Coordinates of all heavy atoms in Angstrom, one line a residue:
I641 N 1.0 6.4 -5.6 CA 1.3 7.8 -5.2 C 0.4 8.8 -5.9 O -0.1 9.7 -5.4 CB 2.8 8.1 -5.4 CG1 3.7 7.4 -4.4 CG2 3.0 9.6 -5.4 CD1 5.1 7.7 -4.6
S642 N 0.2 8.5 -7.2 CA -0.6 9.5 -8.0 C -2.1 9.3 -7.9 O -2.8 10.2 -8.0 CB -0.2 9.3 -9.5 OG -0.4 8.0 -10.0
R643 N -2.5 8.0 -7.7 CA -4.0 7.8 -7.7 C -4.5 7.0 -6.5 O -5.7 6.8 -6.4 CB -4.4 7.0 -9.0 CG -4.0 7.8 -10.3 CD -4.5 7.1 -11.5 NE -4.1 7.8 -12.7 CZ -4.8 8.8 -13.2 NH1 -5.8 9.2 -12.6 NH2 -4.3 9.4 -14.4
K644 N -3.6 6.5 -5.7 CA -4.0 5.7 -4.5 C -4.9 4.5 -5.0 O -5.9 4.2 -4.4 CB -4.7 6.5 -3.5 CG -3.8 7.4 -2.7 CD -4.4 7.9 -1.4 CE -3.3 8.6 -0.6 NZ -3.8 9.1 0.7
S645 N -4.4 3.8 -6.0 CA -5.1 2.7 -6.6 C -5.1 1.5 -5.6 O -4.0 1.2 -5.1 CB -4.5 2.3 -7.9 OG -5.1 1.1 -8.4
Y646 N -6.2 0.8 -5.4 CA -6.3 -0.3 -4.5 C -5.5 -1.5 -5.0 O -4.8 -2.1 -4.3 CB -7.7 -0.7 -4.3 CG -7.9 -1.9 -3.4 CD1 -7.9 -1.9 -2.0 CD2 -8.1 -3.2 -4.0 CE1 -8.0 -3.0 -1.2 CE2 -8.3 -4.3 -3.2 CZ -8.2 -4.2 -1.8 OH -8.4 -5.3 -1.1
S647 N -5.5 -1.7 -6.3 CA -4.8 -2.8 -6.9 C -3.3 -2.7 -6.9 O -2.6 -3.7 -7.0 CB -5.3 -3.0 -8.4 OG -5.0 -1.8 -9.2
A648 N -2.8 -1.5 -6.7 CA -1.4 -1.2 -6.6 C -0.8 -1.9 -5.4 O 0.4 -2.0 -5.3 CB -1.1 0.3 -6.6
N649 N -1.6 -2.3 -4.4 CA -1.1 -2.8 -3.2 C -0.5 -4.3 -3.3 O 0.0 -4.8 -2.4 CB -2.2 -2.8 -2.1 CG -2.5 -1.4 -1.6 OD1 -1.7 -0.8 -0.9 ND2 -3.6 -0.9 -2.0
F650 N -0.7 -4.9 -4.5 CA -0.2 -6.2 -4.7 C 1.4 -6.2 -4.7 O 2.0 -7.1 -4.5 CB -0.7 -6.9 -6.0 CG 0.0 -6.4 -7.2 CD1 1.1 -7.1 -7.7 CD2 -0.5 -5.3 -8.0 CE1 1.8 -6.7 -8.9 CE2 0.2 -4.9 -9.1 CZ 1.3 -5.6 -9.6
S651 N 1.9 -5.0 -5.1 CA 3.4 -4.8 -5.1 C 3.9 -4.7 -3.7 O 3.4 -3.8 -3.0 CB 3.8 -3.6 -6.0 OG 5.2 -3.3 -5.8
P652 N 4.9 -5.5 -3.2 CA 5.4 -5.3 -1.9 C 6.1 -3.9 -1.7 O 6.2 -3.4 -0.6 CB 6.4 -6.4 -1.8 CG 6.7 -6.9 -3.2 CD 5.5 -6.6 -3.9
M653 N 6.6 -3.3 -2.8 CA 7.2 -2.0 -2.7 C 6.1 -0.9 -2.3 O 6.4 0.0 -1.5 CB 7.8 -1.6 -4.0 CG 8.5 -0.2 -3.9 SD 9.5 0.2 -5.4 CE 10.9 -0.8 -5.3
T654 N 4.9 -1.1 -2.8 CA 3.8 -0.2 -2.4 C 3.6 -0.3 -0.9 O 3.5 0.7 -0.2 CB 2.6 -0.5 -3.2 OG1 2.8 -0.4 -4.6 CG2 1.5 0.5 -2.8
T655 N 3.5 -1.5 -0.4 CA 3.2 -1.8 1.0 C 4.4 -1.3 1.9 O 4.1 -0.6 2.9 CB 3.0 -3.3 1.3 OG1 1.9 -3.7 0.4 CG2 2.6 -3.5 2.7
V656 N 5.6 -1.5 1.5 CA 6.8 -1.1 2.2 C 6.8 0.5 2.3 O 7.1 1.1 3.3 CB 8.1 -1.6 1.6 CG1 9.3 -0.9 2.1 CG2 8.2 -3.1 1.9
M657 N 6.5 1.1 1.2 CA 6.5 2.5 1.1 C 5.4 3.1 2.1 O 5.7 4.1 2.8 CB 6.1 3.0 -0.3 CG 6.1 4.5 -0.5 SD 5.7 4.9 -2.2 CE 4.0 4.2 -2.3
R658 N 4.3 2.5 2.2 CA 3.2 2.9 3.1 C 3.6 2.7 4.5 O 3.3 3.4 5.4 CB 1.9 2.3 2.7 CG 1.4 2.6 1.3 CD 0.1 1.8 1.0 NE -1.0 2.2 1.9 CZ -2.2 1.6 1.9 NH1 -2.4 0.6 1.1 NH2 -3.1 2.1 2.7
L659 N 4.3 1.6 4.7 CA 4.7 1.2 6.1 C 5.7 2.1 6.7 O 5.6 2.6 7.8 CB 5.2 -0.2 6.1 CG 4.2 -1.4 6.0 CD1 4.9 -2.7 5.9 CD2 3.3 -1.4 7.3
F660 N 6.8 2.4 5.9 CA 7.9 3.2 6.5 C 7.5 4.7 6.6 O 8.2 5.5 7.3 CB 9.2 3.1 5.8 CG 9.3 3.6 4.4 CD1 9.2 5.0 4.1 CD2 9.6 2.8 3.3 CE1 9.3 5.5 2.8 CE2 9.7 3.3 2.0 CZ 9.5 4.6 1.8
T661 N 6.4 5.1 6.0 CA 5.9 6.5 6.2 C 4.9 6.6 7.3 O 4.4 7.6 7.6 CB 5.2 7.0 4.9 OG1 4.2 6.1 4.4 CG2 6.3 7.2 3.8
G662 N 4.6 5.4 7.9 CA 3.7 5.4 9.1 C 2.2 5.4 8.7 O 1.4 5.6 9.6
E663 N 1.9 5.1 7.5 CA 0.5 5.1 7.1 C -0.2 3.9 7.6 O 0.4 2.8 7.6 CB 0.4 5.1 5.5 CG -1.0 5.1 5.0 CD -1.1 5.1 3.5 OE1 0.0 5.5 2.9 OE2 -2.1 4.8 2.9
A664 N -1.4 4.0 8.1 CA -2.2 2.9 8.6 C -2.8 2.1 7.4 O -3.5 2.6 6.6 CB -3.4 3.4 9.5
I665 N -2.4 0.8 7.3 CA -2.8 0.0 6.2 C -3.8 -1.0 6.7 O -3.6 -1.8 7.6 CB -1.5 -0.8 5.6 CG1 -0.4 0.3 5.3 CG2 -1.9 -1.6 4.4 CD1 0.8 -0.4 4.8
P666 N -5.0 -1.1 6.0 CA -6.0 -2.1 6.4 C -5.4 -3.5 6.1 O -4.6 -3.7 5.2 CB -7.1 -1.8 5.4 CG -6.9 -0.4 5.0 CD -5.5 -0.1 5.0
L667 N -5.8 -4.4 6.9 CA -5.3 -5.8 6.9 C -5.4 -6.4 5.5 O -4.5 -7.1 5.0 CB -6.0 -6.7 7.9 CG -5.4 -8.1 8.0 CD1 -4.0 -8.1 8.4 CD2 -6.2 -8.9 9.1
P668 N -6.6 -6.3 4.8 CA -6.6 -6.9 3.4 C -5.6 -6.3 2.5 O -5.0 -7.1 1.7 CB -8.0 -6.5 3.0 CG -8.8 -6.3 4.2 CD -7.9 -5.7 5.2
E669 N -5.3 -5.0 2.5 CA -4.3 -4.5 1.7 C -2.9 -4.9 2.1 O -2.0 -5.1 1.2 CB -4.4 -2.9 1.7 CG -5.7 -2.4 1.2 CD -5.8 -0.9 1.2 OE1 -4.7 -0.3 1.4 OE2 -6.9 -0.4 1.1
L670 N -2.7 -5.1 3.4 CA -1.4 -5.6 3.8 C -1.1 -7.0 3.4 O 0.0 -7.4 3.0 CB -1.3 -5.5 5.4 CG 0.0 -5.9 6.0 CD1 1.2 -5.0 5.5 CD2 -0.1 -5.8 7.5
L671 N -2.2 -7.9 3.5 CA -2.1 -9.3 3.1 C -2.0 -9.5 1.6 O -1.4 -10.5 1.2 CB -3.3 -10.0 3.7 CG -3.4 -10.2 5.2 CD1 -4.7 -10.9 5.5 CD2 -2.2 -10.9 5.7

């Protein structure tokens, strides 16, 4: 949220947060 760090996507909570807000997530970050 504060820095949009790429490495933060390893946490499933980060991915879920981006998903339920409708953000388009690139496949590598989703995987």
Side-chain angles (χ1 to χ4, degrees):
I641 287 180
S642 61
R643 300 184 183 276
K644 288 199 171 182
S645 172
Y646 176 81
S647 59
N649 290 284
F650 81 89
S651 169
M653 182 175 286
T654 304
T655 305
V656 166
M657 181 182 65
R658 297 176 66 186
L659 284 171
F660 69 63
T661 54
E663 181 179 344
I665 306 177
L667 185 59
E669 296 180 14
L670 182 62
L671 293 177

